Amino acid sequence: MQPVLTLQNTFPMLNIVIFGPPGSGKGTQSDKIIEKYGLIHLSTGDLLRAEIAGETELGLKAKNIMEKGALVPDEVVIGMIKNRIDANIGSNGFIFDGFPRTVEQAEALDNLLSEWNLKINLMISLTVERQELITRLLKRGKEQGRTDDNLETIENRIKVYEDQTTPVMAFYTSQGKAQTVDGIGTIDEIFDRIVEVIK
Ligand code: ADP
């Protein structure tokens, strides 16, 4: 029988989910992973903030939800991710940052990738304790003026993470893909730990 030539074995892609609570350093470490491995960064938070800045209909709806620290509806973020995956097939791979945030999103991501014969290869979970998260996010709020980096919204984002997002860890653990990385230390120390896990 002839082997079937698929996109995946023509262009092997490395697809990583970077996971962790708000303030755990997902965005910072994503930048370094992209630089080293040439992956495409798909951050639903960044995509949503771009919609808000562009004053699109989607952005106007997302703004209030994000200011409360709640989750934007699954179908909205899944639609945004689908567009970006379909537009970047054939790249070195993707790093998903801030997505999936619910088990429904994780299942949808597997389905979107399987249409291209692709899968998630690895999930990296950054661990940082609660008080350190709050300290980092309050600092970022002062420095960068993100409107969701105030104490009330931060506390709600952490609660939403605990209630709705932590089950995503079990989802990838059951697939044998979850790896935990200590998120305390310098940016370079944490990145070195991540590189060891990717190797
Ligand atoms: P952080 O992880 O630091 O809270 P993000 O930039 O990833 O920051 O997300 C900011 C906000 O954007 C979230 O609190 C949520 O309202 C919304 N958001 C981002 N990604 C998703 C997602 N995958 N599903 C639902 N809402 C999301």
Side-chain angles (χ1 to χ4, degrees), residues 22 26 44-45 48-49 66 70 72 98 101 105 140 146 157:
K26 301 184 294 287
T44 40
L48 289 166
R49 281 184 288 276
M66 288 168 73
V72 172
R101 254 178 160 91
Q105 292 178 18
R140 186 174 72 185
R146 246 178 73 169
R157 281 156 62 200

Side-chain angles (χ1 to χ4, degrees), residues 9 22 28 30 40 48 51 66 80 86 120 126 158 164 174 183-184 189 191:
N9 55 36
T28 307
S30 293
I40 304 254
L48 289 166
E51 297 281 343
M66 288 168 73
M80 290 193 320
D86 293 353
I120 294 297
L126 292 172
I158 295 174
Q164 298 183 52
S174 76
I184 300 284
E189 279 164 0
F191 183 59

Side-chain angles (χ1 to χ4, degrees), residues 148-165:
D148 58 349
D149 286 340
N150 63 77
L151 188 57
E152 198 188 343
T153 305
I154 289 167
E155 285 183 333
N156 197 41
R157 281 156 62 200
I158 295 174
K159 182 169 188 328
V160 166
Y161 173 81
E162 286 165 354
D163 294 348
Q164 298 183 52
T165 305

Side-chain angles (χ1 to χ4, degrees), residues 68-96:
K68 287 192 202 112
L71 294 185
V72 172
D74 285 338
E75 63 272 17
V76 173
V77 287
I78 291 166
M80 290 193 320
I81 288 285
K82 176 178 170 39
N83 291 338
R84 300 313 193 286
I85 291 176
D86 293 353
N88 290 288
I89 289 299
S91 64
N92 289 343
F94 299 104
I95 178 140
F96 297 94

Side-chain angles (χ1 to χ4, degrees), residues 22-50:
S24 56
K26 301 184 294 287
T28 307
Q29 295 298 331
S30 293
D31 290 343
K32 296 187 68 79
I33 296 169
I34 291 151
E35 203 186 316
K36 186 169 169 84
Y37 298 95
L39 307 182
I40 304 254
H41 188 200
L42 294 185
S43 156
T44 40
D46 287 351
L47 293 171
L48 289 166
R49 281 184 288 276

